[in-house]
């Protein structure tokens, strides 16, 4: 038996595609958590040592490195990066205009 598989083209933000509230914020938090996780991995830190450096408890480090950022603010994640000796730059720029027409499938 053959089943038809359908797929949707992403708008570029999986959180928006899923219909979550504040998708831009969720995407930013995911990106910050990814950087924190990468730094911890590169430095070969345990979660306990990471918690000590970040001034938080080990379960909070576990939540960040596994992508569960719901209870963390953007500011708190940025402070984590600061404590890991990383600087976060904020860039503000004009959003590109969205196309007013949808491409039609041929």
């Amino acid at each position: 038996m053959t089943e038809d598989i359908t797929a949707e083209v992403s708008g570029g933000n999986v959180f928006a595609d899923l219909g979550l509230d504040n998708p831009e914020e969720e995407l930013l938090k995911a990106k910050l958590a990814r950087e924190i996780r990468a730094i911890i991995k590169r430095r070969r830190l345990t979660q306990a040592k990471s918690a000590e450096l970040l001034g938080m408890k080990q379960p909070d480090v576990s939540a960040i490195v596994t992508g569960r950022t719901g209870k963390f603010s953007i500011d708190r994640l940025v402070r984590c990066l600061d404590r890991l000796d990383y600087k976060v730059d904020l860039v503000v720029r004009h959003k590109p205009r969205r196309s007013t027409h949808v491409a039609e499938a041929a």
Side-chain angles (χ1 to χ4, degrees), residues 29-91:
K29 287 169 41 173
K31 288 178 178 181
L32 293 170
R34 182 184 65 210
E35 290 300 321
I36 293 166
R37 179 176 51 248
I39 293 163
I40 289 170
K41 184 176 180 180
R42 242 187 340 269
R43 292 185 184 178
R44 297 181 177 167
L45 299 172
T46 64
Q47 287 186 6
K49 182 62 178 173
S50 299
E52 185 181 318
L53 288 171
L54 298 174
M56 60 177 55
K57 296 179 180 178
Q58 180 274 326
D60 289 339
V61 173
S62 176
I64 292 171
V65 299
T66 58
R68 293 177 282 121
T69 60
K71 71 183 221 174
F72 299 96
S73 67
I74 290 170
D75 184 58
R76 188 170 179 198
L77 294 170
V78 168
R79 278 185 280 147
C80 288
L81 286 162
D82 182 64
R83 289 180 179 147
L84 292 167
D85 296 323
Y86 278 76
K87 178 183 168 193
V88 176
D89 292 321
L90 177 66
V91 177

